[in-house]
Amino acid sequence: MQRFLKSRRTLFATPLLLASVLLPGCATGPRTVTLGETELNLLLSRQMPVEKRVLELLDTRLSAPQLRLLPERNRLALSLQLSWRERLSGHEGQTPLTLEFALRWDEATRAIRAQQVELLEPGSAGGSGRQALASRAAKLLAEQWLEGQAIYRFKPDDLTKAEALGLKPRAVTVTSRGVEITLAAS
C-alpha cells in the first residue's frame, strides 16, 4: 500500500536542469523542454510495479509498463500487465492492458498530469463469472489510478530562472519527438 501511495504522488520524477538546458541565454520568448519516449519509459519503469489492495478482497499489481507517443492525437498510450488475486478464494488472473490519455499542466502542483484516461484493450476476462468480475474491477482500478496521475513534476528550483524571465509552463503537447512543455510569457 505504501508503494502505491508513493507512486500515486508522481509517476515520473527526475531533476530538470532548466538553467543549463532550457535557458542558456537571456533571450526572451517561448522555450520548449522535450521529454523523449525513451526517457519517459525509463522514468516510468522506476515507479513499477504498483500494488494496491481493493476493499481487503482483491490484490492488484500493475507491471511491465511501455509508453508510446500518439502525436496524431496529442495523447500517450500506456501498456501494462495487470495481475490480480482474490484474497478469499485465491483465484488469480492476469491480462494485458492499454490505457490512452491526454496531458494537462497543473499550476498548483507544478506537474503534468494524465487526464481523459480510456481503457483501449480490455484483455480477456476468462474464467468463472467471479473471476471475470474481479478482472473487470481490477481494470477499472487501473483506469482510475492513472486519471490525474502526475506524469512529470517540476522541482521548485527548476522553474526559478524561467519565472525570473517571466516564463511559465503553458502548453503540453505530444509530438513525434516526445512530450513537449512550452514555457511562455506569463
Side-chain angles (χ1 to χ4, degrees):
M1 180 70 168
Q2 215 169 29
R3 183 175 209 158
F4 174 77
L5 292 174
K6 179 181 176 191
S7 66
R8 180 70 182 144
R9 284 186 218 116
T10 185
L11 240 183
F12 305 99
T14 186
L16 183 61
L17 304 174
L18 288 177
S20 63
V21 177
L22 178 64
L23 304 168
C26 293
T28 59
R31 303 294 178 106
T32 303
V33 176
T34 302
L35 303 171
E37 186 173 352
T38 302
E39 180 182 5
L40 290 168
N41 272 304
L42 177 63
L43 295 170
L44 177 59
S45 68
R46 292 178 186 162
Q47 299 298 321
M48 294 289 175
V50 173
E51 298 173 342
K52 173 116 172 109
R53 180 168 289 160
V54 181
L55 299 173
E56 297 299 320
L57 300 174
L58 187 66
D59 289 331
T60 63
R61 179 183 173 101
L62 296 170
S63 61
Q66 185 62 45
L67 191 85
R68 287 182 296 117
L69 304 171
L70 303 173
E72 65 281 357
R73 298 201 319 257
N74 195 28
R75 294 172 71 81
L76 298 171
L78 178 60
S79 298
L80 298 163
Q81 182 66 34
L82 169 67
S83 304
W84 53 269
R85 183 180 74 79
E86 289 182 52
R87 294 190 67 216
L88 296 174
S89 68
H91 288 105
E92 297 181 349
Q94 61 177 310
T95 187
L97 294 179
T98 300
L99 302 162
E100 184 182 296
F101 58 99
L103 298 171
R104 67 176 171 84
W105 170 247
D106 180 6
E107 179 73 31
T109 62
R110 297 180 150 212
I112 297 167
R113 296 192 176 276
Q115 68 177 4
Q116 302 167 356
V117 177
E118 298 175 36
L119 181 63
L120 292 184
E121 300 170 13
S124 64
S128 70
R130 190 171 66 218
Q131 286 178 309
L133 180 61
S135 180
R136 283 192 303 271
K139 290 173 195 172
L140 179 61
L141 175 69
E143 192 174 62
Q144 289 176 344
W145 166 76
L146 186 56
E147 184 69 41
Q149 183 72 267
I151 302 302
Y152 183 84
R153 187 181 310 271
F154 285 94
K155 293 185 185 309
D157 293 343
D158 288 342
L159 295 176
T160 302
K161 189 170 183 181
E163 289 171 346
L165 294 173
L167 301 175
K168 288 187 173 190
R170 295 293 179 211
V172 180
T173 309
V174 179
T175 70
S176 59
R177 294 184 320 183
V179 172
E180 293 186 354
I181 306 154
T182 302
L183 295 145
S186 303

